[in-house]
Amino acid sequence: MIKKYILPALAACFMWAGCADEFDSRIPEGLVVPTDAEKIAELAEFAPLKQYVNRDANPNFKLGGALTASEFNKKGALYHIAMTNFDEVVAGNAMKMASCVNDKGEMNFSTVSSFVAAAEEAGINVYGHTLAWHSQQANKWLASLIKDKPKPVEPGKEVEKIDYNLDCSTVTRYDWTGAPEQVVTTWNDNGAIHIYNPSPIADWWALQYWLVSGIKLVPEQTYKLKIVYKADGEANIRFKLGDWGGGATANFTTEVTDDFTEKTLTLKPTMESSGLFFQHGDFAGNIWWKSFTITHMEADKPTDVEYKEVWNVENAEFIARDANHTDTPAEVLTGAGPDGQDVIKITGKTNPEQEWDTQFFIYTPEKAWEAGAKYRFTMKYKANKAIGTDTQVHGTPGAYIHWAMLSPNPSFTTEWQEKTWEATIPNEGGGSQKSIAFNLNKNKDSDPGFVYEYYFCDIKWESVSLVEVPKVEHKVAEYVDNGDCEGTNANAFCRKENNGAFEYVITDGVGKGGSRGIQITSNAGAAEDWDTQFWIVLKEALPEGTEFNVSFDYKATAGVSTDTQAHGAPGAYQHWSCAGTVNWTTEWQTYTKTVKVDASMAGANGLGSIAFNLSKDKGQNITFFFDNIRVWREWDEQVKSTIPLTPEEKKDTLTYALTKWINGMMDATEGKVKAWDLVNEAISGGGNIDGRYELQHSEGYKAGENSWDVGGDAFYWQDFLGDVDYVVIAEKAARAAYARQENANPADLKLFINDYNLESTWDDNKKLESLIKWIEVWEAAGAKIDGIGTQMHISYYIDPTSQENQKKHITKMFELMAKSGKLCRVSEFDMGIADKQFGTALKTSEVTPEQEKAMEEYYQWIISEYLRIIPAAQQYGICQWCLTDSPADSGWRGGEPVGLWDLNWNRKYTYRGYVNGLSGNTK
C-alpha cells in the first residue's frame, strides 16, 4: 500500500515540467541537453496535451496538472507550460491548512490568492486541494483549542456563613426606644424579649425602637436575616436594617403561633454599619423576639486550595431607544474618545414627558444575571451639559424589572469621567436581568427645548468567577544513577583507555576519601585527544533547549586541561563542546557547571552522554579520578487542577475552527475555485462498520506499521466531530462560504471525496466500495457529495501476472465509480515501474526505452478505460500529479520515473501515452 506523505522536497516533482514545443527553448543555464535527438524529434511532433481532448465527446473533461503554487505565481516557464498543456492546475501543498495557518491560528492566504489570480490570467481553472484532511494540519493551534481547562470551583457547592447572631436572652436594654409608657418590655422572658402593647396607637410609628446597632455588613451583598419569634396576633412589622439616614426595608406580618417560629428575610444592606429597627404601634398584643441571625452564602473552598477572582468581560450590545420604544442605531464617533477610542453618542428627546423617553441599554443577550451575582461595571462618559440619570434593571431592552441598578447613579458633566461600580445584581432581577437601562431624560421638568447629548466610551460589564490559584512546586530531575559510585550499578560510567574497549566500571578505593570511584589512565604517545575518553551516560537524552547542571569531584596524577564533547551514545560524536574545559590538579576539587543544550549538542536524538577527552597531554601517562557525579536539572512548575473539555465542548470548539478555516479559504479564492477535495483520505483500509471499512482515526495509527500517512502535524477531525458529522459540518461550511462570494453561483460548486488505493487488488476494491457506502451515510445525514477522486499513485509491473491483476482492478474501480452516479476524477495520477506488485521500484536511471514504452501503453490504456467506462456526464477529468520525473532527493517517490517530462524538460514516451489515450488512438 502506498504511503502518501508529501514532504517539502516534493516541489521538485511539480516544478519546471516542460514539453518539446515552443517553451522547450527555455532550458535553464547549466542543464545538460540530452543527446537522444531521435527521441526528441519523434516526440516534438505532438501538440500540447489538452489539444488532444475530444471536447465534443467529452465536454466536461478537464485535464489537470499538479505543481508548486509559489513557482507558478512567478509566471515563468512553469506558468506557460501549465497554461499551454492543461485546463486546470492543482497546488501540491499551498492550499493545505499547514501552509496557511500558523500555530496561533493566524491565517495567511496570500500565496493562494496569487495562485488563483495567476491561473485566472492564464485562462485555466484551479482545483482546490484540500479542505478537511488529517495530515498537514495546524495541529498545535487545534490542540490548544481543546486543551484541558482550569478546574472551576463547583458552582453548587456553597455553605451558609454566619455574619451576626443576637441571642435575645442576653439583651437587657434597647439601643434606643420611642415607645410610650403603656408599652411594657420584659427582658429575658424565657430567653426572649417580650413586648406588650395593651391597645393600638393611632400613630403606629410612635412605638419604635432600635434593638441593636453597629452590625458590620458589606453594602449591596445579599444576606438572609432569620428571626425566631412568636406572637399572639398578626402584627404589621415595619422593619429596617440600617440607621436613621436610610437602610434596607423589609416589612412583614407576624403569624399567630403557640410556640416560636422562624421568619426569613432577604436584604441587601446599604451601609457598612447597620442596626435592627422596628415600628408596630398599631398592633395590640404580645410579641416575643428570641434571636436574630444574619448569614450569607459563599463557596465552600477547600482549605488546601487557594482561589482568586477572575473578571470576565461579557459580550455586550448597545441599543438606543426613543419614546415610541423604537430602537435607533447609536451614533458611533470614531476615535472621538479619550486615547482615540470610539464613542457612542445618544441624543436625548427635546421636552420629554418621561425620563425613559430616551433610553440607552447595555445588553448581554447570551447571559442572564443571577440574583446576588457579583459584577463590575466600568465606563467613561460625559454630556454636553451637566445632568443626572437613573439606571434600571431590565430583562431584554425594554422589559422593565426594577427601578434601581447602579448605585450611585452616574451624574454627567461636560468633561470625561471614568467610574467603576462593583456590586451585586438586585434580587428583583435575578435570573431574568440581561440589561442595564439608562433613563436619559432626567431633565424632563427643566431646560425646556435644550437638546442633551450623551457620550459613552470604553464600556465593560464584567462577571466574576473563582479559579484555582496555581501552586508552584520545585521539581528536580536526576539523570545519573549511583552517582556516589558506592553501589554496583555502573551504567552511567563508561571509559575507553588508549583506543581500547568500552568499559562500564567502578573501582574500589579510588574515590574521594578512599571510597569507590572512577579511574581512567591515558598513555603517552596518543595520537588524538580522544584516544582516552570517559563518558557520563545520562538516563535519558536531553533535547535542545534543556538547561541542566553537572557536578563531580575530580583529581589527576598530573596537572592538565581537558575538553568535553556532546555525544549521543558513548562514541557517537555530536559536537566538539559540551560542559566546558576541566582543569585538573593532584588534589580533589569539585567541578560545577550549568549547560544549555543547543541544536549542535542535541543532534537528531538529544544529548545522551558527556564525553571527556583525556589524552590532551600526549607526553605522559596520567590517571584521572572521578567521584560524586551528578547531572540534574531543577525548575519551578505550576501545579494546577485541570479538567478536560467535554466531548460537546470539543466538538463545538472544533466546529468553529473548521468553519473558520473553510471560510478563510473560500474568501481567499473569491468563488473562482469551483471544485474541491472536501475530504481527503478518510477511509482506513481496515476494520468493519456495517460492512464498510472504518474511517481513519488517531488511535489506529502506529508509526512505521500503518499504511496511511501521518506526521507530527496530524489532527483527526473525526476523532472529535464524529465519523458522520465532520463531513456534514465541512460540507455545510463550504457551501455556505462559497454561496456568499460575490458573483458565485452555488450550483457551480463541486465537492469531492478524495482517497488512495481505490484500485486495490488485495481486497478486490473493497476500499472504494466502503467509500461509496460512506458517501451514502454522509448524504443521508444531510451532506451533498458531488464526486469521487481516485488518486492512482500506481506502478507498471514487469511481472505479467501482477500487471494483469492490477489492470483488472482498475477496470473494476472505474465501473464502481460510474455506478455510483457521482462525478469521477483521477485526482493524483502518477506512475512508476516495479518488478512486481509489492516488489522493488526501479529508479529512472534503471528504466530501459522498452520499459518506458510499456509505461506509455499503460498510460494510454488507463486513460482510454476512463473515457470508455465513465459516462461523459460523470467525467470530471484526470490530473497528472508529477509533471517531471522525481529528483533523487525528493520526499515523493524519490528518483522514480513518474513524470511526462524528464528533469531536463524533454518529453518522455509517457507523454505520447497521454496523447494517444486522450485522442482515442490505438496501436
Side-chain angles (χ1 to χ4, degrees):
M1 300 174 72
I2 295 171
K3 283 191 75 173
K4 184 185 158 294
Y5 186 58
I6 301 172
L7 301 174
L10 176 58
C13 194
F14 292 140
M15 61 187 294
W16 304 121
C19 57
D21 50 31
E22 63 266 37
F23 298 108
D24 284 352
S25 62
R26 302 174 183 271
I27 297 174
E29 183 179 357
L31 285 181
V32 178
V33 179
T35 58
D36 191 353
E38 180 179 346
K39 177 179 176 182
I40 292 173
E42 181 183 3
L43 297 176
E45 299 174 359
F46 294 108
L49 285 179
K50 66 182 178 182
Q51 294 186 23
Y52 293 96
V53 177
N54 186 335
R55 305 295 178 180
D56 293 330
N58 314 108
N60 301 320
F61 186 94
K62 286 168 280 292
L63 184 61
L67 40 73
T68 304
S70 58
E71 195 63 39
F72 181 83
N73 291 346
K74 295 177 182 178
K75 298 182 181 179
L78 181 64
Y79 172 86
H80 291 285
I81 291 166
M83 177 176 64
T84 303
N85 286 278
F86 300 103
D87 303 312
E88 186 172 76
V89 288
V90 180
N93 284 301
M95 298 176 79
K96 295 171 182 172
M97 178 182 275
S99 298
C100 305
V101 185
N102 66 17
D103 292 346
K104 298 179 181 179
E106 299 165 338
M107 299 187 179
N108 183 345
F109 296 99
S110 57
T111 299
V112 172
S113 298
S114 299
F115 180 51
V116 173
E120 184 178 33
E121 182 178 327
I124 56 180
N125 300 325
V126 170
Y127 184 95
H129 178 72
T130 179
L131 294 177
W133 193 22
H134 62 265
S135 194
Q136 291 180 256
Q137 302 296 284
N139 70 326
K140 289 185 178 179
W141 171 54
L142 297 173
S144 73
L145 296 178
I146 56 173
K147 66 182 181 181
D148 292 354
K149 61 185 177 181
K151 185 177 181 180
V153 178
E154 294 183 25
K157 192 175 182 180
E158 290 189 331
V159 294
E160 192 169 18
K161 301 290 185 178
I162 296 176
D163 299 274
Y164 176 79
N165 183 62
L166 177 62
D167 177 358
C168 291
S169 67
T170 66
V171 179
T172 58
R173 64 180 181 85
Y174 291 111
D175 185 73
W176 177 92
T177 182
E181 291 184 0
Q182 72 178 51
V183 177
V184 178
T185 299
T186 303
W187 306 104
N188 194 13
D189 182 358
N190 293 318
I193 300 170
H194 177 195
I195 302 171
Y196 171 65
N197 182 23
S199 60
I201 302 171
D203 298 330
W204 50 265
W205 56 86
L207 197 169
Q208 55 183 336
Y209 50 91
W210 290 99
L211 195 56
V212 293
S213 61
I215 302 171
K216 301 298 183 181
L217 302 171
V218 178
E220 296 304 317
Q221 180 169 306
T222 300
Y223 292 89
K224 288 183 179 180
L225 172 60
K226 297 177 183 179
I227 306 170
V228 179
Y229 75 97
K230 69 176 180 177
D232 58 9
E234 294 182 350
N236 186 16
I237 308 295
R238 288 86 171 180
F239 172 79
K240 180 169 65 172
L241 177 67
D243 62 16
W244 286 113
T249 60
N251 299 341
F252 63 96
T253 300
T254 61
E255 297 178 6
V256 179
T257 60
D258 294 331
D259 202 355
F260 287 101
T261 188
E262 183 177 277
K263 179 76 173 180
T264 300
L265 306 177
T266 301
L267 303 103
K268 286 187 177 181
T270 62
M271 53 197 66
E272 293 183 354
S273 181
S274 300
L276 305 178
F277 180 63
F278 302 84
Q279 295 173 322
H280 49 83
D282 53 352
F283 170 69
N286 297 282
I287 297 176
W288 290 264
W289 303 122
K290 188 173 184 65
S291 67
F292 296 85
T293 305
I294 299 176
T295 65
H296 74 277
M297 300 298 294
E298 67 177 43
D300 185 18
K301 295 178 287 189
T303 57
D304 60 343
V305 178
E306 295 182 10
Y307 293 88
K308 67 177 180 180
E309 290 185 342
V310 175
W311 289 100
N312 311 292
V313 179
E314 301 300 332
N315 185 21
E317 297 178 3
F318 310 113
I319 297 174
R321 181 164 292 178
D322 61 20
N324 296 319
H325 286 191
T326 301
D327 291 343
T328 57
E331 183 180 357
V332 178
L333 307 179
T334 303
D339 301 321
Q341 293 172 304
D342 291 348
V343 172
I344 294 174
K345 177 184 176 183
I346 308 292
T347 301
K349 182 180 179 182
T350 306
N351 299 321
E353 296 180 3
Q354 303 292 341
E355 288 187 15
W356 50 85
D357 281 355
T358 304
Q359 288 180 301
F360 176 52
F361 297 92
I362 315 297
Y363 172 42
T364 56
E366 304 300 325
K367 180 178 179 63
W369 298 76
E370 296 295 330
K374 190 174 181 180
Y375 73 89
R376 181 167 67 189
F377 182 80
T378 305
M379 69 176 181
K380 298 172 184 174
Y381 57 100
K382 72 172 184 175
N384 62 346
K385 187 174 182 179
I387 187 172
T389 186
D390 291 331
T391 58
Q392 298 176 338
V393 176
H394 282 224
T396 56
Y400 170 83
I401 295 176
H402 187 56
W403 57 271
M405 178 62 187
L406 301 180
S407 180
N409 285 315
S411 294
F412 289 76
T413 67
T414 57
E415 300 296 327
W416 283 108
Q417 303 177 69
E418 181 175 11
K419 184 173 176 61
T420 298
W421 289 262
E422 285 194 16
T424 54
I425 297 297
N427 288 337
E428 294 81 359
S432 300
Q433 179 174 4
K434 292 188 173 184
S435 306
I436 301 174
F438 292 77
N439 293 343
L440 299 180
N441 289 127
K442 192 74 173 177
N443 64 319
K444 69 183 185 68
D445 297 323
S446 61
D447 294 334
F450 187 81
V451 179
Y452 279 85
E453 296 174 351
Y454 303 83
Y455 301 88
F456 299 84
C457 177
D458 198 15
I459 302 169
K460 296 186 186 74
W461 192 3
E462 302 168 275
S463 62
V464 67
S465 59
L466 290 177
V467 298
E468 185 180 337
V469 178
K471 291 184 177 180
V472 177
E473 292 185 3
H474 188 70
K475 301 281 189 176
V476 179
E478 301 282 353
Y479 297 103
V480 172
D481 288 330
N482 193 27
D484 62 3
C485 302
E486 296 308 304
T488 59
N489 183 0
N491 291 340
F493 318 120
C494 181
R495 75 182 184 189
K496 180 190 70 173
E497 295 180 333
N498 196 30
N499 280 326
F502 290 86
E503 299 178 295
Y504 291 80
V505 295
I506 298 174
T507 304
D508 290 336
V510 301
K512 189 176 181 179
S515 64
R516 288 162 59 85
I518 310 298
Q519 175 180 303
I520 309 101
T521 300
S522 68
N523 294 332
E528 303 291 351
D529 292 359
W530 51 86
D531 283 358
T532 300
Q533 287 181 297
F534 170 65
W535 290 270
I536 300 175
V537 184
L538 309 182
K539 289 195 293 186
E540 62 184 76
L542 303 181
E544 179 184 355
T546 304
E547 187 171 270
F548 68 92
N549 306 296
V550 57
S551 72
F552 50 86
D553 294 330
Y554 67 108
K555 74 172 183 175
T557 55
V560 66
S561 293
T562 61
D563 298 324
T564 59
Q565 296 177 337
H567 284 217
Y573 169 84
Q574 291 181 170
H575 191 55
W576 58 268
S577 177
C578 186
T581 299
V582 182
N583 296 311
W584 300 78
T585 68
T586 57
E587 300 296 328
W588 282 104
Q589 307 176 71
T590 300
Y591 183 88
T592 303
K593 190 171 182 64
T594 300
V595 181
K596 187 170 184 178
V597 181
D598 61 23
S600 298
M601 294 162 58
N605 299 307
L607 174 67
S609 61
I610 304 169
F612 295 78
N613 295 340
L614 301 180
S615 288
K616 188 82 169 179
D617 186 338
K618 302 175 179 60
Q620 58 179 321
N621 298 337
I622 301 176
T623 301
F624 301 85
F625 303 93
F626 293 84
D627 197 2
N628 300 318
I629 300 170
R630 186 181 180 207
V631 178
W632 79 100
R633 70 182 183 96
E634 50 188 309
W635 68 99
D636 289 333
E637 182 177 288
Q638 287 187 345
V639 180
K640 187 175 182 180
S641 298
T642 61
I643 57 173
L645 299 183
T646 65
E648 292 76 15
E649 289 173 322
K650 291 180 179 179
K651 184 173 183 178
D652 181 67
T653 300
L654 291 174
T655 296
Y656 148 79
L658 182 58
T659 302
K660 177 183 177 182
W661 150 246
I662 292 174
N663 286 345
M665 181 59 79
M666 288 296 183
D667 290 345
T669 53
E670 300 178 335
K672 297 172 183 177
V673 179
K674 300 177 182 179
W676 293 83
D677 288 331
L678 172 70
V679 174
N680 197 46
E681 301 179 355
I683 313 300
S684 69
N688 177 42
I689 298 180
D690 297 330
R692 59 186 182 272
Y693 285 155
E694 296 174 340
L695 297 191
Q696 295 196 35
H697 285 279
S698 59
E699 67 270 17
Y701 174 76
K702 295 180 181 178
E705 297 181 18
N706 294 84
S707 60
W708 61 83
D709 67 89
V710 69
D713 56 0
F715 188 91
Y716 290 82
W717 297 92
Q718 53 268 46
D719 281 1
F720 306 98
L721 302 183
D723 288 352
V724 177
D725 284 357
Y726 99 99
V727 177
V728 176
I729 291 165
E731 186 268 346
K732 299 300 182 188
R735 295 196 188 277
Y738 182 85
R740 71 163 182 267
Q741 303 305 317
E742 187 176 1
N743 301 321
N745 180 0
D748 292 339
L749 180 64
K750 306 302 178 188
L751 300 177
F752 286 74
I753 308 296
N754 187 50
D755 220 318
Y756 60 93
N757 285 346
L758 303 188
E759 70 283 355
S760 51
T761 61
W762 51 89
D763 62 359
D764 197 23
N765 301 98
K766 185 176 179 180
K767 186 172 183 181
L768 173 57
E769 292 175 340
S770 297
L771 173 56
I772 293 170
K773 290 179 181 179
W774 273 109
I775 290 175
E776 293 172 356
V777 172
W778 294 325
E779 291 196 319
K784 178 186 176 185
I785 305 302
D786 298 294
I788 297 172
T790 175
Q791 294 181 10
M792 291 197 74
H793 300 294
I794 64 170
S795 292
Y796 173 81
Y797 299 129
I798 298 172
D799 171 58
T801 302
S802 297
Q803 180 66 3
E804 287 305 311
N805 190 34
Q806 184 63 78
K807 289 176 70 174
K808 172 186 173 182
H809 285 89
I810 289 174
T811 297
K812 183 177 179 181
M813 175 187 71
F814 286 144
E815 289 172 346
L816 288 169
M817 291 174 70
K819 187 178 179 180
S820 75
K822 301 298 181 183
L823 293 175
C824 302
R825 178 174 184 260
V826 179
S827 58
E828 302 178 21
F829 193 20
D830 56 27
M831 183 190 298
I833 183 169
D835 59 345
K836 60 182 179 179
Q837 188 171 30
F838 310 123
T840 302
L842 274 65
K843 300 300 184 183
T844 303
S845 60
E846 300 170 329
V847 178
T848 66
E850 290 75 16
Q851 289 169 339
E852 186 183 337
K853 288 181 180 180
M855 294 174 68
E856 168 195 343
E857 293 175 1
Y858 196 22
Y859 267 111
Q860 177 183 344
W861 180 83
I862 290 170
I863 295 168
S864 298
E865 281 291 273
Y866 174 90
L867 295 174
R868 179 181 71 84
I869 297 171
I870 306 299
Q874 290 177 246
Q875 293 175 8
Y876 184 89
I878 296 175
C879 175
Q880 177 66 23
W881 196 245
C882 290
L883 304 188
T884 68
D885 290 339
S886 183
D889 60 352
S890 174
W892 177 247
R893 305 189 80 165
E896 293 190 43
V898 288
L900 306 185
W901 292 266
D902 65 23
L903 290 172
N904 292 317
W905 294 24
N906 295 297
R907 290 173 175 171
K908 299 170 53 181
Y909 287 128
T910 52
Y911 183 98
R912 186 169 62 189
Y914 251 90
V915 169
N916 290 329
L918 293 171
S919 61
N921 291 341
T922 58
K923 291 187 177 181

